[in-house]
Amino acid sequence: MKIGIVIPAHNEVMTIAKCLASVRTAIEQLPSTIKAYPLVVLDSCTDNTQSIVKAAGIDYLCCDYQCVGRVRDIGIRHAITNGATWIACTDADSVVNVDWLAQQIEHISHQPTDMICGVVQVDSWARLTPQTRKDYIAHYQDRMGHHHIHGANLSFSSEAYLAVGGFTSIPCHEDVDLVSRFEAQSYGITWSNRVRVMTSSRLQARATEGFAAFLTRLEQNNIH
């Protein structure tokens, strides 16, 4: 088994180093029979993100799409071409748990699945109102069998990914779109809260309808 870990990045100089360090630590927990390697897809970066990725010795691609669906797809297809049989997606502003990959392997070995949808935790509530935190916790289902979808914590078999046509070139909700096509073609999906990622609470959205936009809407509802 070979795991390709695909990380899109657009001007993530403040967060990419922590992300890559966490991915490296997660890889170290795997048995020697399983190979895993990270690939960063640098999209329209105008800061020093590329320098940090190079200094870390991580493989990367450069593109100028400004479309996260297309960026994820180019990275995934590159990883599959290089032999990846399982793809794990996260984001450059996220930190994966130490057992992020090990828990995926655990799921696959106990009950074969084509996709795993994990959960996210918010890294800090300090910049948000207490009511926003309460509203978020009331909404979020941190349990097995949840139905949350996060591009920052989504993994799947390479074969199934190619069969459904992969991530499409849409500006947002590319993750929801992919999961719906897995469901439509009756692929097995595991909704796990054992596969965990810590994600940023920033309100400056990279994707117009992504996680930051969701937090912003909650925050604005509580301020007004």
Side-chain angles (χ1 to χ4, degrees):
M1 184 179 191
K2 188 173 182 181
I3 304 172
I5 302 159
V6 178
I7 308 163
H10 170 63
N11 289 346
E12 297 288 6
V13 70
M14 302 299 292
T15 60
I16 190 77
K18 276 188 178 178
C19 172
L20 296 178
S22 73
V23 167
R24 271 222 168 102
T25 302
I27 291 171
E28 289 165 3
Q29 314 311 310
L30 293 173
S32 58
T33 51
I34 298 173
K35 302 299 178 192
Y37 76 97
L39 173 70
V40 177
V41 188
L42 300 159
D43 181 29
S44 312
C45 288
T46 55
D47 64 2
N48 287 325
T49 302
Q50 181 175 336
S51 301
I52 295 169
V53 175
K54 282 176 80 169
I58 302 294
D59 282 348
Y60 64 91
L61 301 174
C62 294
C63 62
D64 188 18
Y65 295 146
Q66 298 185 46
C67 171
V68 70
R70 196 170 175 194
V71 172
R72 290 193 199 279
D73 185 63
I74 190 177
I76 290 164
R77 290 181 188 275
H78 182 87
I80 292 172
T81 299
N82 284 280
T85 54
W86 183 259
I87 300 295
C89 297
T90 192
D91 286 344
D93 67 344
S94 301
V95 172
V96 305
N97 268 28
V98 173
D99 62 352
W100 182 60
L101 295 170
Q103 287 290 352
Q104 292 177 42
I105 301 305
E106 187 88 357
H107 280 306
I108 295 166
S109 58
H110 280 81
Q111 186 177 1
T113 189
D114 301 299
M115 172 179 272
I116 300 170
C117 296
V119 295
V120 298
Q121 289 172 265
V122 175
D123 62 353
S124 169
W125 292 102
R127 68 193 94 183
L128 300 165
T129 63
Q131 188 59 45
T132 295
R133 181 181 183 179
K134 281 177 69 175
D135 290 349
Y136 176 86
I137 292 169
H139 159 82
Y140 202 83
Q141 300 171 348
D142 189 344
R143 57 175 174 76
M144 294 297 291
H146 69 88
H147 265 66
H148 299 296
I149 299 169
H150 305 285
N153 194 1
L154 189 62
S155 52
F156 38 80
S157 91
S158 300
E159 187 180 342
Y161 179 81
L162 295 176
V164 304
F167 281 114
T168 53
S169 298
I170 52 178
C172 58
H173 300 314
E174 80 291 343
D175 44 5
V176 175
D177 174 70
L178 183 70
V179 172
S180 69
R181 280 181 284 121
F182 268 68
E183 290 177 320
Q185 297 193 31
S186 301
Y187 282 105
I189 300 178
T190 299
W191 304 87
S192 173
N193 74 335
R194 291 177 10 215
V195 179
R196 307 183 68 86
V197 164
M198 185 82 71
T199 199
S200 172
S201 62
R202 69 183 178 192
L203 301 180
Q204 296 75 35
R206 293 293 192 272
T208 52
E209 290 293 326
F211 190 72
F214 171 69
L215 287 180
T216 299
R217 280 196 299 276
L218 282 182
E219 184 77 352
Q220 286 172 344
N221 288 341
N222 291 318
I223 290 171
H224 297 139

